[in-house]
Amino acid sequence: MKAHDNIFDKIMLAIGVLLLVLFWIQFPAMPTVDEHHYASYTSASPDIAHTSKWTYLKPDKGLSARQVVSIQLHALQQNDPADSGVITLFNFSSPSNRAYLGPLKHFRLMVREPAYRPILNFKSYKTGQLVVAGKNAYQLVVIETPDGQREAFMFILTKQRRGTYKDCWMTEGIARMEEVHFTSNL
């Protein structure tokens, strides 16, 4: 009987080690500043500073509307095969926008539709003046695609009034602008 208990203990130890290795492989490593798709940002408040992988970035009360747009643009510009940029965009979507967009899986497909595909892995961008009107903010962004085309998008943000994200700027929507004559001010 002791021989069976000894064998059972060894099997259980092997299974435990195997599970530990699987969990170690499954979970991502902690972010480091040296990685390409990591972001650093600070706010006006001296106690708020972040360095994180795009997919780990979340809304924060200390972020201004301009910083929220900037974080999303940098994440989308450096979107990777794991869609960390798209996930960041989803993280900063307001609760009402998420209810409209549906789950992340659906959102990832929507971003790849022809109207929004240029916003992924674009070459560069310029922003217009940020307009803040009470709890709403509007930011015009002109991006340059890898093939040299220029596309305009309007980021529409709202400062959340309640819930988990109270007082956080979050994206209510991104509207693709029709072809317009871009000024040199952007």
Side-chain angles (χ1 to χ4, degrees):
M1 190 69 162
K2 271 194 168 192
H4 290 296
D5 286 343
N6 195 13
I7 292 172
F8 180 75
D9 289 343
K10 288 181 181 181
I11 290 172
M12 292 305 291
L13 178 63
I15 290 172
V17 169
L18 180 64
L19 287 173
L20 182 62
V21 169
L22 287 175
F23 282 128
W24 181 71
I25 291 170
Q26 186 71 17
F27 291 106
M30 289 301 293
T32 64
V33 180
D34 299 333
E35 296 278 338
H36 174 64
H37 53 294
Y38 284 73
S40 295
Y41 61 90
T42 56
S43 73
S45 175
D47 59 331
I48 298 174
H50 298 278
T51 299
S52 183
K53 186 172 182 181
W54 294 123
T55 55
Y56 298 123
L57 292 177
K58 305 272 191 227
D60 189 290
K61 293 176 188 178
L63 294 173
S64 68
R66 184 177 312 283
Q67 288 172 312
V68 169
V69 172
S70 179
I71 288 167
Q72 292 176 86
L73 285 169
H74 282 98
L76 289 168
Q77 186 177 26
Q78 298 173 12
N79 192 51
D80 57 21
D83 267 349
S84 63
V86 174
I87 293 168
T88 298
L89 188 65
F90 188 78
N91 289 347
F92 279 90
S93 294
S94 71
S96 61
N97 192 21
R98 286 186 192 183
Y100 172 76
L101 296 171
L104 177 60
K105 191 175 191 177
H106 184 251
F107 182 71
R108 290 167 95 170
L109 295 173
M110 284 177 44
V111 172
R112 285 175 171 71
E113 289 179 2
Y116 290 97
R117 192 176 305 137
I119 208 164
L120 292 176
N121 302 105
F122 56 88
K123 185 176 172 183
S124 63
Y125 73 91
K126 292 184 180 187
T127 58
Q129 181 177 356
L130 176 72
V131 176
V132 177
K135 298 268 184 190
N136 299 314
Y138 306 91
Q139 178 72 71
L140 179 65
V141 177
V142 178
I143 64 163
E144 183 180 349
T145 64
D147 61 356
Q149 298 295 315
R150 291 175 19 160
E151 304 285 345
F153 294 89
M154 177 68 72
F155 279 72
I156 304 163
L157 285 76
T158 56
K159 197 168 206 177
Q160 301 304 296
R161 296 179 181 172
R162 62 178 87 77
T164 307
Y165 300 111
K166 184 178 181 189
D167 294 328
C168 294
W169 285 104
M170 297 182 80
T171 303
E172 204 59 50
I174 300 174
R176 173 131 185 222
M177 306 304 287
E178 293 296 320
E179 188 173 325
V180 294
H181 299 287
F182 303 118
T183 65
S184 60
N185 295 8
L186 293 178

